[in-house]
């Protein structure tokens, strides 16, 4: 879901639904192949979607939601977050 190129053009960043926990997680897929690696800060019970990398590759920006999908959820459901890869 929502794939984007990395700043260096060598990877694809995307969201993938994990059936085991019923949430969207961020993944980084190398163009050489493979299943990809989960990326982003380790926090349980959160969905992350729409990831994009800053021009220098330091930051990831994505939509963040705590909890699983709900039919009549209270707003706001998602917030934009920034993750510093160097911290």
């Amino acid at each position: 879901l929502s794939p984007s190129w990395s700043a260096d053009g060598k990877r694809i960043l995307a969201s993938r639904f994990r059936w085991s926990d019923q949430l969207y997680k961020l993944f980084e897929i190398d163009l050489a192949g493979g299943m990809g690696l989960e990326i982003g800060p380790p926090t349980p019970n959160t969905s992350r979607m729409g990831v994009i990398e800053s021009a220098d590759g330091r930051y990831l920006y994505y939509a963040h939601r705590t909890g699983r999908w709900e039919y009549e959820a209270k707003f706001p459901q998602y917030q934009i977050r920034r993750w510093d890869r160097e911290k």
Side-chain angles (χ1 to χ4, degrees), residues 28-66:
E28 181 174 75
I29 301 122
D30 192 295
L31 292 180
M35 295 296 296
L37 299 172
E38 187 174 337
I39 57 175
T43 53
N45 199 32
T46 60
S47 275
R48 299 181 180 114
M49 303 169 80
V51 63
I52 191 165
E53 194 172 60
S54 63
D56 61 3
R58 179 174 177 175
Y59 299 103
L60 294 180
Y61 297 90
Y62 55 90
H64 171 96
R65 176 194 172 136
T66 301

Side-chain angles (χ1 to χ4, degrees), residues 14-25:
S15 301
R16 182 185 295 166
F17 189 73
R18 301 258 322 242
W19 288 100
S20 59
D21 50 11
Q22 297 289 300
L23 299 167
Y24 284 93
K25 300 292 183 179

